[in-house]
Amino acid sequence: MDIPQGELVDVVKRLKRIEGQIGGIVRMIEDGRDCSAVVTQLAAASKALNKAGFAVVSTGMRYCSTNGDSETRELDLRELERLFLSLA
């Protein structure tokens, strides 16, 4: 399944924010910050990463349900369902 890159601009922005957040968590650990603060930030980053994954699957479902022939659509939608369930 190929999703046009332009369809995922918001996901890329979200991932770049997560990348910065992860860098901040690494610095927190290196600076010896409180464990609960580190875990809180890890949980937030994990949730944000899950949302990015769901956004990719959602975009793929939208795109694949309207493009291509019916056989290709069916295969792509089954693959998207598998990917969606892997995030759960």
Side-chain angles (χ1 to χ4, degrees):
M1 151 191 56
D2 293 319
I3 302 171
Q5 192 173 13
E7 295 287 324
L8 298 173
V9 170
D10 289 338
V11 173
V12 170
K13 287 179 187 176
R14 183 179 302 217
L15 289 171
K16 287 182 179 186
R17 279 194 305 271
I18 296 167
E19 184 177 35
Q21 188 175 15
I22 296 296
I25 295 168
V26 169
R27 285 188 297 279
M28 289 174 72
I29 292 170
E30 291 173 342
D31 293 344
R33 295 278 303 274
D34 179 59
C35 180
S36 64
V38 171
V39 171
T40 298
Q41 289 305 310
L42 283 169
S46 177
K47 185 174 180 178
L49 194 54
N50 284 338
K51 283 186 175 184
F54 286 123
V56 170
V57 172
S58 172
T59 301
M61 290 178 82
R62 204 172 346 111
Y63 182 76
C64 294
S65 67
T66 59
N67 297 303
D69 60 57
S70 63
E71 185 177 330
T72 302
R73 254 194 318 266
E74 185 177 329
L75 290 172
D76 286 347
L77 290 173
R78 271 191 262 143
E79 174 65 6
L80 284 165
E81 179 181 13
R82 185 190 69 74
L83 292 171
F84 176 80
L85 293 173
S86 75
L87 291 170

